[in-house]
Amino acid sequence: MRNLKRILLAEDDQRDIELTLAALEDINLANEIDVVRDGEEALDYLFKRAEYKDRENGNPAVVLLDLKMPKVDGLEVLRQIKKSDDLCHIPVVILTSSKMESDLITSYDLGVNAYVVKPIEFEDFVKAVKELGSFWAILNESPPDR
Amino acid sequence: MKKSKISDLSLRTKIFVFTMMPFVLVMIIISILSIQHRIEDERKLTSNRIESYVILLESGDLSFSSIKQKEKIEKLLNEKVLSAELIKKDRSIAFTTGGSVYEINKEQIDKAFQGYIITFTRQNKILVQISLHPIIVKNTVVGIFHLELSFEKSNDRVRQYILFVLHLNIFGIILSFLLIYFLSQKIILNRLKSLTDMCSEVRRGNLNHRLSVNSHDELGILALTFNDTADRLAERNQRLKEEQQKGLDNIRELEKYRDHLEELVKERTIELEGKTKKLTKSRQSLTLLLEDVNESRAELDLSNRKLEASNKKLEAFSYSVSHDLRAPLRHIDGFTKLLNKNIKNKIDEKSQNYFDNIINSSKQMNKLIDDLLIFSRLSRKDMKKIKFNMKIAIDEALQTFDSDIKENNISITVDDMPDVNLDVSLIQQAWINLISNAIKFTGNNKNPEIHIGTDKDTDGNAIFFIKDNGVGFDQKYVGKIFDVFQRLHNINEFPGTGIGLANVKRIITKHGGNIRAEGKINKGASFFFTLSDV
């Protein structure tokens, strides 16, 4: 069995985290999921800083990124990822509660790989997360680590 | 040298030349002729006197011996006698004065016995007559009277006569000269001068001068004509003066008018100035007004900007609301369903019904949030119109309802549509709302039918419509049908937010079009709308 890459979920709302994890559980995803609660933590995780300084595993297979987060928002996290030579190839999926055109445009300008509005109905939400997970974590071939 | 030398001479000279010349000529000719005549007379007289003397001798009234008396003969003949003698038949000289000058030869004497012989010669330039007269007594020639006669005395007489004639001529010439001089002066020159003077007067402008006419000769007629001309000139002058006067009067009148006009102009100018002042005042007030308007506009701009800002704030607010409303809603829905899934086998039907109610309520709230977001977005969003085929927009909208249409077995027909200027996403939204409306209200019908078509109004503009055979509505509520949160049906029977049709109307109005609805209870509803094709 190959060593599967992790999935990074950056989400500040505990209930959203639970629902997302429930949805991902549903598809029996083998990948481990790391959760960070705000943008700063997400950046620390990705750049292996502070409490993630000694993190051993490599870059995640995909980053599921909420836009509205405390301290550093999702767009800033996205900008940092795409600016970094080490991280720019990580697929980033924006998972947000509502579609705001300016956010959408900025995200694509920064090089986001997908932009998903969380469906309100749980079935739809589960379906969306499943599809995202199976695509980015299973079907998609990640770029090799440097 | 000028050719017209004669014509350049003065009139007086001309008169003199042309009258005196022939006169003098005639005088000279007459004088010469009369002198000649006088000379002939003298000769004739002398020869007559000689004849008479001879006759006296023949008649014996004078004795032959008187021939000796030279002075007597001279007295009788009134001429100087050089010599006289009587020659007898025997050729001897009977009586003589002596001193015969010229020799007479024998033949001459013989001839003289036959008849009278006369010859002429000159002595000291004076004519001398030598005559031989036979003296006949009783028809017999008794002797020859030989006379030598010098014309000294007759010459003197002729000379005196010539002198006389000469004097007469001189006198005549002088007289005629004076006569011509004075007469020409009086008859012609003086009058000519008066004519010239008058001409000068006329030239100087004096038309009152007139010539006195004493005679009716040519100059008189000329003077008359001249006077007449002067009269006419004066008359014309008078007329001219009158007309000039009239002209002056006119000018004066014009000047009066002008003065009046000036006054009028002044009046008007004053009036105009007043008006200008008023105008300036109004302009000033207008400027003030404009400033006010500008101010108001600035204020308006400011409030516009404020409005824009507040709109943006509202937009942000809407999104955060939607985000903040959606997130808990999603959580409610999600956790309810997860909970329901976990305990599904452990709960009764009633509890399950509660779960369903919670789930339906969250669904309805979700729909409400969606519609509200669209509604608020419509008032802000700028339209991007493009030429687009309406059928494509409808087909896109219909895709949303694929499952509903299949489930409810709805028969949908869509006619061919023209290309229209429209904002694709907005018009699709409108069709989505209209179609979802139609599907919803045909839910009770066993054979639901929806017809989407197009027509043309009287002006040729495209009308689009959607007709269904659903529950319809009471036409008396048609005025409320497009109002926000207005519902014509019970929410339990036909769930809805009451915003859908309001959104449709907003979209159509934004496109410059109109929408209306027709309905009958249980006979279906129809919606018609137009779009401004600009």
Side-chain angles (χ1 to χ4, degrees):
Chain A
M1 198 169 170
R2 63 176 176 153
N3 187 17
L4 279 175
K5 285 190 172 182
R6 294 166 171 262
I7 290 172
L8 180 64
L9 174 63
E11 172 68 66
D12 67 318
D13 193 319
Q14 177 59 36
R15 288 161 295 186
D16 267 323
I17 293 169
E18 281 181 34
L19 285 174
T20 308
L21 291 176
L24 286 171
E25 255 172 44
D26 226 33
I27 54 168
N28 298 317
L29 209 61
N31 307 59
E32 281 188 50
I33 296 160
D34 288 333
V35 178
V36 289
R37 305 300 174 117
D38 59 50
E40 194 182 68
E41 203 185 336
L43 289 174
D44 285 346
Y45 178 94
L46 288 165
F47 287 100
K48 298 182 179 174
R49 297 184 300 217
E51 55 176 307
Y52 297 101
K53 199 175 158 190
D54 301 321
R55 181 172 67 85
E56 280 181 3
N57 35 32
N59 286 336
V62 62
V63 179
L64 301 176
L65 189 62
D66 187 24
L67 283 182
K68 286 198 173 178
M69 287 189 295
K71 296 180 187 171
V72 179
D73 70 7
L75 287 176
E76 183 53 34
V77 175
L78 176 64
R79 186 177 291 113
Q80 300 269 359
I81 292 171
K82 293 299 174 186
K83 233 167 67 181
S84 158
D85 288 342
D86 289 334
L87 310 175
C88 65
H89 291 127
I90 302 171
V92 180
V93 175
I94 300 278
L95 260 181
T96 182
S97 291
S98 64
K99 185 176 82 176
M100 192 154 157
E101 240 164 78
S102 57
D103 287 345
L104 187 66
I105 292 164
T106 313
S107 299
Y108 275 104
D109 282 347
L110 291 172
V112 80
N113 301 84
Y115 192 104
V116 177
V117 179
K118 294 173 193 166
I120 285 184
E121 282 196 48
F122 186 63
E123 292 89 342
D124 297 335
F125 179 72
V126 169
K127 201 178 157 196
V129 172
K130 273 181 185 173
E131 280 170 5
L132 276 173
S134 57
F135 179 76
W136 290 109
I138 302 167
L139 292 171
N140 188 49
E141 285 297 335
S142 305
D145 283 339
R146 307 227 165 158
Chain B
M1 282 282 260
K2 279 190 178 172
K3 225 178 167 185
S4 55
K5 205 180 166 189
I6 293 167
S7 58
D8 285 348
L9 297 170
S10 76
L11 191 61
R12 174 169 283 170
T13 317
K14 279 179 189 166
I15 290 168
F16 276 121
V17 169
F18 292 123
T19 52
M20 289 298 283
M21 262 201 347
F23 179 76
V24 169
L25 210 66
V26 166
M27 287 272 279
I28 288 166
I29 289 166
I30 288 171
S31 299
I32 289 168
L33 285 175
S34 78
I35 287 164
Q36 260 183 353
H37 192 252
R38 180 64 195 253
I39 291 166
E40 276 170 22
D41 267 5
E42 283 292 331
R43 299 283 181 274
K44 224 178 250 171
L45 209 64
T46 304
S47 80
N48 284 345
R49 278 181 189 140
I50 293 169
E51 286 288 325
S52 303
Y53 183 73
V54 170
I55 288 163
L56 283 173
L57 284 176
E58 284 173 341
S59 64
D61 290 337
L62 276 173
S63 64
F64 292 132
S65 59
S66 67
I67 290 173
K68 290 191 289 183
Q69 298 169 314
K70 197 178 166 182
E71 292 79 17
K72 204 171 177 178
I73 297 165
E74 277 183 344
K75 209 177 174 183
L76 281 170
L77 294 181
N78 200 19
E79 195 56 84
K80 186 182 176 180
V81 175
L82 295 174
S83 72
E85 57 188 6
L86 183 73
I87 303 166
K88 286 183 188 172
K89 260 186 173 175
D90 57 355
R91 312 292 190 258
S92 64
I93 297 160
F95 302 101
T96 182
T97 58
S100 167
V101 184
Y102 302 100
E103 285 284 327
I104 305 162
N105 54 38
K106 211 171 163 242
E107 291 93 48
Q108 277 177 323
I109 295 169
D110 291 344
K111 266 187 194 172
F113 275 102
Q114 307 300 318
Y116 180 81
I117 294 170
I118 188 164
T119 55
F120 293 95
T121 182
R122 280 187 184 275
Q123 187 185 37
N124 300 328
K125 289 186 181 176
I126 300 165
L127 192 69
V128 174
Q129 178 185 317
I130 303 160
S131 56
L132 294 165
H133 294 271
I135 299 169
I136 301 159
V137 182
K138 295 170 185 174
N139 295 328
T140 312
V141 179
V142 290
I144 299 294
F145 178 60
H146 173 218
L147 181 72
E148 287 177 359
L149 187 135
S150 167
F151 284 107
E152 221 178 75
K153 278 194 176 175
S154 64
N155 272 5
D156 283 343
R157 281 196 299 276
V158 168
R159 213 171 284 129
Q160 272 177 349
Y161 180 71
I162 287 169
L163 216 62
F164 167 73
V165 166
L166 208 65
H167 280 108
L168 202 69
N169 273 352
I170 287 165
F171 174 74
I173 284 166
I174 288 169
L175 193 71
S176 63
F177 181 90
L178 290 174
L179 219 66
I180 287 166
Y181 182 88
F182 287 112
L183 282 179
S184 67
Q185 188 73 31
K186 189 172 165 32
I187 295 169
I188 300 170
L189 294 174
N190 279 352
R191 287 156 79 190
L192 274 177
K193 190 173 184 305
S194 58
L195 266 171
T196 315
D197 287 348
M198 185 171 165
C199 275
S200 303
E201 288 289 319
V202 168
R203 200 173 55 193
R204 240 179 272 128
N206 181 10
L207 291 172
N208 299 323
H209 193 78
R210 287 292 178 277
L211 295 168
S212 57
V213 182
N214 302 320
S215 64
H216 285 276
D217 56 10
E218 287 86 342
L219 279 174
I221 290 164
L222 181 63
L224 273 176
T225 314
F226 217 83
N227 281 347
D228 188 41
T229 308
D231 282 347
R232 287 184 186 201
L233 269 175
E235 203 182 310
R236 214 171 69 180
N237 222 11
Q238 188 60 34
R239 269 214 311 274
L240 271 173
K241 267 186 190 166
E242 277 170 18
E243 285 185 8
Q244 201 179 21
Q245 190 58 42
K246 270 190 207 164
L248 282 175
D249 288 350
N250 284 343
I251 287 169
R252 239 170 261 136
E253 214 170 323
L254 273 174
E255 278 174 353
K256 250 159 86 185
Y257 278 132
R258 194 188 56 194
D259 292 346
H260 184 62
L261 199 68
E262 273 173 14
E263 273 174 36
L264 210 67
V265 166
K266 266 183 200 164
E267 269 176 41
R268 288 288 149 84
T269 308
I270 290 163
E271 227 174 273
L272 206 66
E273 273 173 3
K275 282 183 181 173
T276 309
K277 267 179 202 161
K278 274 187 195 171
L279 201 68
T280 311
K281 240 175 150 184
S282 347
R283 205 174 51 190
Q284 278 167 354
S285 24
L286 201 66
T287 311
L288 285 175
L289 196 71
L290 266 179
E291 277 169 16
D292 279 356
V293 167
N294 280 339
E295 225 172 273
S296 312
R297 204 165 54 186
E299 279 171 20
L300 205 65
D301 281 349
L302 193 69
S303 23
N304 259 346
R305 250 176 276 134
K306 277 183 187 169
L307 203 64
E308 265 173 44
S310 65
N311 261 345
K312 271 190 183 154
K313 273 182 196 165
L314 190 70
E315 191 181 2
F317 171 76
S318 298
Y319 279 109
S320 55
V321 163
S322 81
H323 180 270
D324 292 348
L325 281 179
R326 271 165 191 267
L329 196 60
R330 202 172 57 247
H331 299 152
I332 292 167
D333 192 59
F335 287 114
T336 310
K337 279 172 182 164
L338 279 175
L339 180 63
N340 194 13
K341 191 179 155 194
N342 283 351
I343 59 169
K344 204 155 192 172
N345 301 327
K346 297 165 194 166
I347 57 169
D348 56 8
E349 201 176 317
K350 201 175 175 186
S351 299
Q352 183 57 42
N353 196 30
Y354 294 156
F355 270 114
D356 289 345
N357 279 342
I358 295 169
I359 289 163
N360 279 335
S361 293
S362 71
K363 200 182 273 178
Q364 194 189 336
M365 192 164 168
N366 179 35
K367 178 78 180 127
L368 189 65
I369 290 167
D370 277 350
D371 283 354
L372 268 176
L373 267 179
I374 291 166
F375 187 77
S376 72
R377 207 181 292 165
L378 278 179
S379 54
R380 300 188 312 270
K381 200 188 169 193
D382 292 327
M383 286 208 300
K384 284 172 193 162
K385 278 188 169 187
I386 53 164
K387 201 92 176 168
F388 199 80
N389 188 274
M390 188 59 107
K391 190 159 193 295
I392 295 172
I394 294 164
D395 287 343
E396 290 274 331
L398 276 173
Q399 279 181 13
T400 321
F401 304 101
D402 274 350
S403 55
D404 290 312
I405 291 163
K406 270 181 196 162
E407 268 174 41
N408 298 311
N409 197 25
I410 302 168
S411 144
I412 287 196
T413 50
V414 183
D415 296 347
D416 279 339
M417 298 277 171
D419 290 349
V420 193
N421 269 325
L422 48 80
D423 181 305
V424 180
S425 69
L426 286 183
I427 289 295
Q428 271 180 7
Q429 185 61 55
W431 280 119
I432 285 169
N433 289 10
L434 286 169
I435 292 163
S436 95
N437 213 51
I439 290 171
K440 188 163 70 186
F441 291 109
T442 51
N444 292 348
N445 199 308
K446 280 177 184 167
N447 298 306
E449 282 173 16
I450 296 171
H451 179 204
I452 300 172
T454 182
D455 201 351
K456 278 191 174 171
D457 69 3
T458 46
D459 294 333
N461 300 317
I463 301 173
F464 303 98
F465 61 81
I466 178 164
K467 293 177 180 177
D468 64 62
N469 57 353
V471 293
F473 60 89
D474 191 341
Q475 187 69 24
K476 69 179 169 186
Y477 298 120
V478 76
K480 287 184 169 182
I481 202 163
F482 297 110
D483 287 351
V484 188
F485 299 122
Q486 284 295 330
R487 300 175 47 85
L488 299 183
H489 300 276
N490 190 291
I491 193 158
N492 293 324
E493 199 179 353
F494 297 105
T497 58
I499 302 175
L501 285 179
N503 279 343
V504 172
K505 186 171 183 179
R506 278 204 156 196
I507 291 166
I508 300 305
T509 310
K510 227 173 144 100
H511 277 78
N514 282 307
I515 188 161
R516 64 185 175 85
E518 280 175 15
K520 254 185 182 175
I521 293 171
N522 295 324
K523 289 279 165 97
S526 305
F527 293 86
F528 304 86
F529 70 85
T530 57
L531 299 176
S532 159
D533 201 23
V534 182

